[in-house]
Amino acid sequence: MGAFVANVGQGNWSSIAVVSGNTGSSMLDFGDKDDVDIGRIRYDQSNNSMHFRTTNIEHIVLTNSGNVGIGTTSPTTKLTINNFAGGPTTGIGIDGNAGTGTAVAQISMRAASGNSIWQLVNKNDELGVSVGGTADNNRVMTFLNSGKVGIGTT
């Protein structure tokens, strides 16, 4: 059952509700005349998860615990990325800060306090590994595009 709900007097909001039973699914399909549900957003009431699919393949799931899965329906971490059958190889793309004069792309892991960091930094044709500190100032290893590796030096 679908319903359009407006609450003009209490904050000027409106919504569209797609309601199902307690163990069913609520879905919003996208398609064309040849395939009416080739794309879908589905909310699964039985486990309170949200699912996104394109080309009739489920690509992304958001679990009730906040885990996001790409290429998996059972993410075990906050972000789980897996290859799926027939799909491209698994990968994460990170684009650097274009237009600033310094090409930088990085992957960082930070402790809750924000003061302990582990970083991979791609900067001006070199890859740096930093441990500790708050930025790329504690570089412990550098890989140059020439094949040279520096340990304890940049």
Side-chain angles (χ1 to χ4, degrees), residues 60-76:
I60 301 172
V61 65
L62 173 61
T63 68
N64 61 1
S65 61
N67 292 347
V68 175
I70 299 174
T72 179
T73 57
S74 304
T76 56

Side-chain angles (χ1 to χ4, degrees), residues 117 119 121 123 129-140 154:
I117 193 168
Q119 272 184 334
V121 179
K123 184 176 184 180
V129 178
S130 299
V131 179
T134 57
D136 188 32
N137 59 357
N138 288 335
R139 178 95 49 108
V140 295
T154 57

Side-chain angles (χ1 to χ4, degrees), residues 5-137:
V5 181
N7 186 355
V8 178
Q10 298 289 326
N12 298 324
W13 60 268
S14 63
S15 68
I16 296 174
V18 182
V19 180
S20 71
N22 291 341
T23 59
S25 291
S26 301
M27 295 175 275
L28 182 59
D29 288 333
F30 303 88
D32 55 37
K33 66 181 181 72
D34 296 326
D35 193 338
V36 297
D37 62 355
I38 196 164
R40 174 177 285 168
I41 300 172
R42 178 175 63 94
Y43 188 83
D44 187 337
Q45 304 292 352
S46 66
N47 62 14
N48 294 312
S49 61
M50 183 79 73
H51 304 257
F52 300 86
R53 82 176 192 192
T54 60
T55 61
N56 286 325
I57 299 171
E58 187 171 291
H59 293 287
I60 301 172
V61 65
L62 173 61
T63 68
N64 61 1
S65 61
N67 292 347
V68 175
I70 299 174
T72 179
T73 57
S74 304
T76 56
T77 60
K78 288 298 174 191
L79 177 60
T80 303
I81 300 173
N82 287 335
N83 191 11
F84 55 93
T89 57
T90 301
I92 300 172
I94 300 174
D95 293 327
N97 191 1
T100 63
T102 303
V104 176
Q106 66 186 28
I107 299 172
S108 299
M109 288 182 262
R110 190 179 313 267
S113 67
N115 293 327
S116 179
I117 193 168
W118 181 92
Q119 272 184 334
L120 286 176
V121 179
N122 180 2
K123 184 176 184 180
N124 297 330
D125 294 328
E126 66 184 43
L127 177 67
V129 178
S130 299
V131 179
T134 57
D136 188 32
N137 59 357

